[in-house]
Amino acid sequence: MLVLGIESSCDETGVALVEVSGAGVPVLRADALHSQIEMHQAYGGVVPELASRDHIRRVVPLAEAVLQRSGVALADIDVVAFTRGPGLAGALLVGAGVACALGAALDKPVLGVHHLEGHLLSPFLSADPPEFPFVALLVSGGHTQLMRVDGVGRYEMLGETIDDAAGEAFDKSAKLLGLGYPGGPALSRLAEQGDPTAFKLPRPLLHSGNLDFSFAGLKTAVLTQAKKLGDELDARKADLAASTQAAIVDVLLKKSLKALEQSGLKRIVIAGGVGANKLLRSEFNAACAVRDVRVHYPELHLCTDNGAMIAMAAAMRLQANVQTASKVYAFDVKPRWPLGDLTA
Ligand code: KG4
Ligand code: ZN
């Protein structure tokens, strides 16, 4: 079975083809991606209307590239999957519209996928795929969640952010420091030249006793520190960036270790854009090694938004019989869609 997946929830247009055979882990046949980062850079963040228009321009050429790379004909596609939410409404409508039109034209069923489930299952596309059950740390631009995952569609929320997401903390702090968009990669690059112990920044909710996060206070602390430095800021920017990154990673790591301890599980999956962070990976690798915990990540290029994770989530839902694809081509999108509302 061949599943074509289309991602268009934010500022990346992604298309990919995944093949399911029997009960084996589905395999990525080809993927293509266009990032709008350059276009939005001039505005310091994503401009929704520009995002939607660009998705329209990119999606068909990307789908053609995927078919060409995989040597698969359009008529051989069995299911067309798309990101149904959460995300920007206009951007989601592009992917959903194209997927459903394609399904109708080919007389093939379609399936709407939850974007976060795509991130969550993306490590199954790696050379070292996980096995259920595991703890998942989902760290993206809009979400920071710890979950217990017992199977496809079987997600139990253990804790989540009560305000900003970890990616947002990176992005907002980077903006305060005058770094580019998206802030995560920019801040972590600068942090490599800085001293992570230079500034004492807060670790909100670290000792709260539960598995929730809060990052809004960190951004305020960074701003206060930057103001205090005044003219000195430029010379100390790398130190402040390194201290900020260390604070974010520290909280993510400690809470994740607590989730592992409480659940008794010996496996963790890190997914979402922040999962590409080098310090985060090295800290998790070191901490998990001494605790005999297996840690899994998506391939680096599949950490941020892409079509492969959407095709994969659809493929795994179909394989696990938790959802069927349908030939009803009327569609809706869900800009706000908590993962907990996802029916198995
Ligand atoms: O998962 P994603 O592509 O989009 C959402 O679904 O939100 O995540 C994007 C987020 C942004 O906040 C970006 O700054 C962050 O991931 N990010 C990083 C890194 N690469 C991307 N944060 C820290 N270090 C990185 N290397
Ligand atoms: Zn995402």
Side-chain angles (χ1 to χ4, degrees):
M1 180 176 60
L2 291 168
V3 182
L4 186 81
I6 301 177
E7 154 65 26
S8 71
S9 67
C10 188
D11 57 351
E12 260 104 20
T13 323
V15 181
L17 193 71
V18 161
E19 182 165 8
V20 187
S21 32
V25 179
V27 174
L28 180 63
R29 289 279 302 265
D31 68 331
L33 185 78
H34 175 79
S35 170
Q36 303 177 354
I37 283 178
E38 248 175 62
M39 182 180 75
H40 296 296
Q41 243 155 10
Y43 307 92
V46 178
V47 183
E49 182 58 25
L50 293 182
S52 313
R53 291 178 193 205
D54 202 59
H55 286 307
I56 293 173
R57 270 194 292 273
R58 307 291 176 181
V59 65
V60 172
L62 288 170
E64 286 168 345
V66 164
L67 293 177
Q68 201 190 11
R69 278 173 211 170
S70 59
V72 164
L74 201 51
D76 294 334
I77 294 170
D78 296 297
V79 176
V80 186
F82 60 94
T83 307
R84 190 177 174 205
L88 302 169
L92 289 166
L93 283 170
V94 177
V98 169
C100 292
L102 191 56
L106 298 173
D107 192 28
K108 296 290 166 69
V110 297
L111 188 132
V113 169
H114 195 293
H115 180 85
L116 294 181
E117 185 174 45
H119 277 301
L120 193 64
L121 300 177
S122 62
F124 283 93
L125 288 162
S126 74
D128 176 31
E131 278 170 31
F132 299 114
F134 52 78
V135 168
L137 172 68
L138 195 62
V139 271
S140 69
H143 295 83
T144 300
Q145 301 178 331
L146 271 167
M147 268 167 289
R148 181 193 165 101
V149 177
D150 284 294
V152 180
R154 295 169 62 200
Y155 314 128
E156 181 195 342
M157 191 69 66
L158 302 174
E160 62 187 323
T161 184
I162 58 168
D163 42 53
D164 290 354
E168 242 175 321
F170 270 105
D171 293 339
K172 289 180 177 173
S173 304
K175 204 167 192 173
L176 291 174
L177 297 179
L179 307 174
Y181 154 86
L187 190 140
S188 70
R189 260 193 313 273
L190 182 62
E192 280 175 23
Q193 300 150 32
D195 172 7
T197 61
F199 298 99
K200 281 210 169 16
L201 295 173
R203 267 78 167 150
L205 298 191
L206 191 56
H207 303 292
S208 62
N210 62 22
L211 296 172
D212 286 338
F213 303 88
S214 164
F215 289 106
L218 180 63
K219 161 195 71 191
T220 313
V222 173
L223 179 63
T224 309
Q225 196 56 253
K227 277 188 181 154
K228 218 188 272 176
L229 284 167
D231 292 346
E232 247 189 282
L233 176 62
D234 264 350
R236 305 290 312 278
K237 215 181 251 188
D239 286 343
L240 190 48
S243 304
T244 306
Q245 176 175 252
I248 298 171
V249 169
D250 192 29
V251 178
L252 293 175
L253 176 65
K254 299 251 168 70
K255 292 270 175 170
S256 300
L257 293 177
K258 192 176 270 180
L260 282 161
E261 207 181 285
Q262 284 180 7
S263 64
L265 295 175
K266 286 286 187 187
R267 198 183 287 275
I268 183 162
V269 157
I270 319 279
V274 181
N277 186 269
K278 269 194 211 160
L279 178 73
L280 180 134
R281 287 192 176 210
S282 68
E283 296 270 306
F284 269 84
N285 287 344
C288 290
V290 298
R291 288 167 179 80
D292 206 20
V293 168
R294 289 288 314 276
V295 53
H296 300 262
Y297 310 92
E299 301 290 341
L300 264 184
H301 70 286
L302 297 180
C303 277
T304 43
D305 295 346
N306 62 81
M309 67 185 200
I310 300 307
M312 187 64 170
M316 289 183 73
R317 286 183 80 78
L318 292 167
Q319 195 182 34
N321 277 323
V322 296
Q323 192 173 345
T324 47
S326 118
K327 286 193 178 179
V328 175
Y329 302 112
F331 58 87
D332 65 348
V333 294
K334 290 171 166 269
R336 289 182 169 275
W337 188 10
L339 190 59
D341 290 359
L342 189 62
T343 44

